[in-house]
Amino acid sequence: MRRNGGDPMSVPLLTTKLHVPSPRPGAVVRPRLTERLNEAFHRKLTLISAPAGSGKTTLVAEWLAGCPHPAAWLSLDEGDNDAARLLTYLFAAAKTIAGSIEDGALRMLQAPQTPPVETIVTA
């Protein structure tokens, strides 16, 4: 695994990337889309794809505000296009809802010789 920009653990994580945005007051309610998101509980993966500014974040934030299940949030940007950095943020997001998640994977990300991605994810 190649690291771009140095060790991901040496740079503090931006915790704002791990917080669900607050629902916007006065946002248009989209019951059909919310119902489709509720169906996501019966699937392994749900992908929301739409052009910038179409309300994806607003929709999901509003849906999560009324969701009875715990949810982890991770906002990504171009700087997270490095596998080690992405995994570091992904594990940090998971810890927001499962604080007891094993830290072994994070230790592997800090190792001088980073193991293969499959090894880290399995841990």
Side-chain angles (χ1 to χ4, degrees):
M1 180 182 319
R2 193 171 141 239
R3 293 184 180 172
N4 297 327
D7 183 352
M9 298 305 287
S10 65
V11 178
L13 295 179
L14 296 172
T15 58
T16 55
K17 296 174 77 146
L18 305 175
H19 294 284
V20 178
S22 299
R24 295 182 180 177
V28 175
V29 179
R30 301 188 233 173
R32 185 181 65 79
L33 293 177
T34 302
E35 183 56 37
R36 300 269 321 258
L37 288 174
N38 286 331
E39 293 169 8
F41 293 117
H42 307 291
R43 295 186 173 91
K44 291 182 180 183
L45 175 70
T46 298
L47 174 67
I48 301 170
S49 177
S54 60
K56 298 177 296 291
T57 299
T58 301
L59 171 68
V60 175
E62 187 174 295
W63 174 65
L64 288 176
C67 181
H69 303 285
W73 184 275
L74 176 56
S75 297
L76 299 174
D77 54 46
E78 286 185 35
D80 301 318
N81 197 23
D82 171 70
R85 184 174 175 86
L86 172 64
L87 287 173
T88 300
Y89 269 110
L90 189 60
F91 292 134
K95 282 183 83 70
T96 65
I97 59 171
S100 62
I101 195 168
E102 175 57 46
D103 287 329
L106 288 172
R107 283 192 297 278
M108 284 186 225
L109 287 165
Q110 293 175 310
Q113 185 70 19
T114 307
V117 172
E118 295 82 13
T119 303
I120 297 169
V121 173
T122 300

